[in-house]
Amino acid sequence: MEQGRAAGASRRCVAALLAAAVAAWPAVPVPGQPPISRQGVASSDYDTAEDGAALLRQVLARQSLASLEAAAEGGDGEALYLVGIARMRGIGAPVDLAEARRLFRRSVLAGFHRATFAYGGMLFRGEGGERNVAEALSWWQAGADAGNAPAMVALGDYYRFQAPEAERDATKAKLFYERAAAKNHAGAKALLADYLWFGLGGRSDRTQALAEYEEAARLGSSLALYRIGYAQMTGVATPKDPAKALASYRKAAAAGSWDALHQAARMLVEGAGVPADPRGAGELLLAHAAATDWAAQAMLAKLVLNGAVAPPPGYRAEAAAEEADRHGYPEAIGALIANLREGRNGYARDLRRAAELARPALARARARPIEEEGAWLMHALGSAYTIQVALAANAIDPQPGEAEELARIYGNPGKRMIRMDVPVSCNGVENPFWIYLWDVEGLTPPSDAQFDWVEKSRGCSVPIEERVLYRRLFDRARATRRSYPDVVVEQRRQPGRKLVGPIEF
């Protein structure tokens, strides 16, 4: 163990020395190193590029990857960086994260400080080798000191979002963002606008924040476009206009925002303020969803499984649904289970197979931390209901205590369910949040888990009086041996209180 500590200390010492050396690099190329303009890419492009993929494609439009690889073999720091991008992103070459990491390291040691962002990122995420946060920070700091804007943003994001709680410092993060914004980094400008939008540091001015988002959007910031879409959707600091919001979300998705992609696709699927267009949602997801964007993959698989979108050649929707569920997004596996349970959307009714999928899906849902998207109670409820139906039909063998446990937590299969809207505050904007209510045999009302989820996963706040009211009505229903939905309906028939129900599975 002592030997391991000594080795770790040695690595940290070397990292610190290397970082100090890189920080001292001159702003002009070192002797013998070709200037950055050699590849036809301007210095300012490198200073504001995020992952280098666009830069690599720009270079490959004029020369081959083989010529870059030859230059890299000769020790050209810029070529080493670009070939590293090719290996990291699979552009013109197979993905090889270990090789990409090795190339980035050679690039920064050759004096090409713009590679510090990519190399530090691989260290930070543990890609292509062991994770080393301390060394990643040292390389990002070296890059920031040498004038690399993405490294400045990475440090800002670390101190604002990713550092241990005791080390988080929004003021320190802002200083890094300001340095990057001074170099015209679009993302940094959007992140600075966040300080005004959310009132970080005490001052809130959403009108001014929106103006700053618009400036950042003109420079191509996907975050700024996403924030503008949110303002247009909610009517905060600008007139409410879902059609404009969808257009902003589309632009943000094309610029790389996964959040905007999810919002735009969901608006089209649900017809939220715009005409419903599931096919258009599928096309959007096919155009922009990354293979590892499991939320988008779950939405796409669900559209295919429900027959709303024709699957692309070779697409395996069922496999995609199961994989997305394993990554915390059960939307599509729920659709597959329901199709098998009900015999719909081209599926023959197969309770055994539905239950065999539902059991592991339910186990995963119950094991997820409450802050995750897939921890929403209704995902688990659909799987539980399927198992209960299969047990009642003798389609599967019961497990010890399974039926009793499901009834205690999720109620009985024939339960009546109602849906209520509860006002919650998300980012300072009041939104309706649907909660689903039914009778359970346990002592905890279904509303509690749903309130916990919207607070933890969405960052919204539920009025304490709403929590108390639904708990009190649940206790009253138990004490009087009446139906929980019936008691709620009696109490909540008020102007402005929307009630939808009963809802049957």
Side-chain angles (χ1 to χ4, degrees), residues 233-496:
M233 190 67 191
T234 58
V236 177
T238 191
K240 185 174 182 177
D241 192 328
K244 284 186 177 180
L246 177 60
S248 294
Y249 285 147
R250 283 181 176 275
K251 290 178 183 177
S257 170
W258 289 9
D259 287 337
L261 176 63
H262 305 161
Q263 290 287 358
R266 206 163 291 285
M267 286 180 73
L268 290 168
V269 169
E270 299 174 358
V274 295
D277 184 6
R279 186 179 300 276
E283 292 171 354
L284 184 67
L285 292 166
L286 284 169
H288 299 299
T292 55
D293 180 357
W294 298 111
Q297 293 300 332
M299 275 194 279
L300 178 60
K302 181 178 180 180
L303 288 169
V304 172
L305 289 166
N306 287 346
V309 174
Y315 184 74
R316 298 172 59 225
E318 292 186 7
E322 292 191 66
E323 189 66 19
D325 183 41
R326 281 191 284 270
H327 284 84
Y329 294 92
E331 187 173 357
I333 197 69
L336 175 58
I337 290 168
N339 283 341
L340 290 165
R341 185 186 70 227
E342 305 298 332
R344 65 191 186 195
N345 293 320
Y347 280 84
R349 192 166 191 252
D350 188 339
L351 284 178
R352 173 176 288 279
R353 186 172 174 226
E356 287 172 347
L357 289 170
R359 275 174 167 161
L362 178 60
R364 286 191 289 266
R366 294 183 63 181
R368 287 184 182 114
I370 190 65
E371 64 271 11
E372 290 188 5
E373 187 75 18
W376 185 41
L377 180 62
M378 302 309 293
H379 290 308
L381 183 69
S383 293
Y385 174 71
T386 299
I387 298 167
Q388 289 174 313
V389 171
L391 287 171
N394 295 316
I396 54 173
D397 295 328
Q399 296 177 353
E402 182 178 38
E404 294 79 9
E405 178 76 356
L406 293 176
R408 182 181 67 81
I409 300 173
Y410 303 105
N412 293 304
K415 57 184 168 284
R416 175 175 178 245
M417 180 181 295
I418 63 171
R419 188 171 72 180
M420 300 289 297
D421 75 312
V422 175
V424 299
S425 177
C426 308
N427 296 328
V429 178
E430 185 172 295
N431 293 283
F433 173 60
W434 292 109
I435 62 169
Y436 297 79
L437 306 174
W438 63 91
D439 286 307
V440 297
E441 296 181 9
L443 301 177
T444 304
S447 52
D448 278 6
Q450 295 172 72
F451 289 147
D452 290 343
W453 177 82
V454 77
E455 289 189 335
K456 296 293 185 180
S457 75
R458 299 293 173 83
C460 302
S461 60
V462 179
I464 188 62
E465 59 270 19
E466 295 285 344
R467 276 185 173 273
V468 170
L469 174 64
Y470 283 100
R471 160 67 77 163
R472 180 168 55 82
L473 294 176
F474 178 77
D475 291 341
R476 181 186 301 173
R478 287 180 58 82
T480 58
R481 298 182 180 276
R482 298 179 61 206
S483 163
Y484 182 34
D486 287 346
V487 172
V488 171
V489 170
E490 286 180 4
Q491 294 294 316
R492 309 277 0 211
R493 288 197 183 280
Q494 303 172 13

Side-chain angles (χ1 to χ4, degrees), residues 142-289:
D145 291 343
N148 184 241
M152 298 172 193
V153 173
L155 286 167
D157 286 347
Y158 175 77
Y159 288 111
R160 182 177 168 192
F161 302 112
Q162 300 160 327
E165 287 289 343
E167 298 176 24
R168 292 187 187 180
D169 187 334
T171 301
K172 186 174 183 178
K174 187 179 181 183
L175 295 175
F176 284 110
Y177 294 149
E178 287 172 341
R179 289 174 59 191
K183 298 178 75 66
N184 227 30
H185 190 283
K189 288 179 179 288
L191 288 161
L192 284 175
D194 275 355
Y195 280 73
L196 287 172
W197 184 268
F198 296 107
L200 300 175
R203 181 178 170 233
S204 176
D205 186 338
R206 290 188 167 174
T207 300
Q208 180 61 32
L210 188 59
E212 294 188 13
Y213 285 137
E214 288 169 349
E215 179 187 353
R218 284 191 289 273
L219 293 172
S221 167
S222 62
L223 173 63
L225 286 162
Y226 172 70
R227 297 283 195 238
I228 291 168
Y230 176 82
Q232 293 165 334
M233 190 67 191
T234 58
V236 177
T238 191
K240 185 174 182 177
D241 192 328
K244 284 186 177 180
L246 177 60
S248 294
Y249 285 147
R250 283 181 176 275
K251 290 178 183 177
S257 170
W258 289 9
D259 287 337
L261 176 63
H262 305 161
Q263 290 287 358
R266 206 163 291 285
M267 286 180 73
L268 290 168
V269 169
E270 299 174 358
V274 295
D277 184 6
R279 186 179 300 276
E283 292 171 354
L284 184 67
L285 292 166
L286 284 169
H288 299 299

Side-chain angles (χ1 to χ4, degrees), residues 10-102:
S10 175
R11 285 195 298 271
R12 288 191 294 273
C13 181
V14 170
L17 290 172
L18 287 172
V22 175
W25 289 338
V28 296
V30 297
Q33 179 185 333
I36 287 181
S37 59
R38 167 179 176 151
Q39 307 298 348
V41 180
S43 171
S44 60
D45 289 339
Y46 279 102
D47 283 338
T48 57
E50 292 302 321
D51 65 5
L55 301 181
L56 174 62
R57 292 189 177 96
Q58 185 179 337
V59 171
L60 291 179
R62 294 185 301 274
Q63 62 179 287
S64 67
L65 181 61
S67 66
L68 282 177
E69 290 173 334
E73 283 300 312
D76 184 314
E78 182 188 11
L80 284 162
Y81 169 73
L82 291 170
V83 176
I85 293 295
R87 291 297 187 183
M88 182 170 69
R89 300 296 180 192
I91 300 173
V95 171
D96 187 337
L97 296 182
E99 176 65 3
R101 181 160 160 166
R102 185 184 71 84

